[in-house]
Amino acid sequence: MQEKRLTLATRHGALRARIEQQRHQLAAHAAPLEVALARGDSVLRGVDWLKHHPAAVGAAVAAVVVARPARAWRWAKRGLFVWRGWQALRNSLAGGR
């Protein structure tokens, strides 16, 4: 009985060591993802800020329109083009709802 417990304890220790090694490997492989996800989080925080401060966005747009109306018009057309393309892509991926 003692020999069986010793064998099990040895296997248990080996498995724990293997698990620890795999955790370190996983952490090393996940490091680049952490950077990308952190950037994504910062973008989402920025979008959240924009949603909660529409007056600031409106003021910025008004300043651009007053300062450079031709450039603002050009960017508005580009934005509309991108938005319509995004809507078409989203609808085609969603099954044409």
Side-chain angles (χ1 to χ4, degrees), residues 30-46:
L33 290 175
E34 289 181 29
V35 173
L37 292 174
R39 287 186 185 143
D41 286 342
S42 66
V43 167
L44 290 177
R45 280 193 302 274

Side-chain angles (χ1 to χ4, degrees), residues 9-91:
T10 305
R11 286 184 59 202
H12 181 75
L15 285 174
R16 289 184 66 87
R18 184 174 170 200
I19 289 168
E20 188 64 27
Q21 178 189 17
Q22 288 175 346
R23 283 185 181 147
H24 286 297
Q25 288 175 346
L26 182 61
H29 289 308
L33 290 175
E34 289 181 29
V35 173
L37 292 174
R39 287 186 185 143
D41 286 342
S42 66
V43 167
L44 290 177
R45 280 193 302 274
V47 169
D48 192 44
W49 186 88
L50 290 174
K51 286 180 181 179
H52 288 89
H53 297 86
V57 175
V61 169
V64 168
V65 168
V66 168
R68 307 236 185 214
R71 184 176 288 177
W73 180 250
R74 218 172 23 243
W75 277 103
K77 289 192 297 187
R78 290 176 186 163
L80 180 64
F81 177 74
V82 169
W83 180 74
R84 289 180 67 189
W86 168 250
Q87 294 295 319
L89 178 66
R90 192 175 71 177
N91 286 339

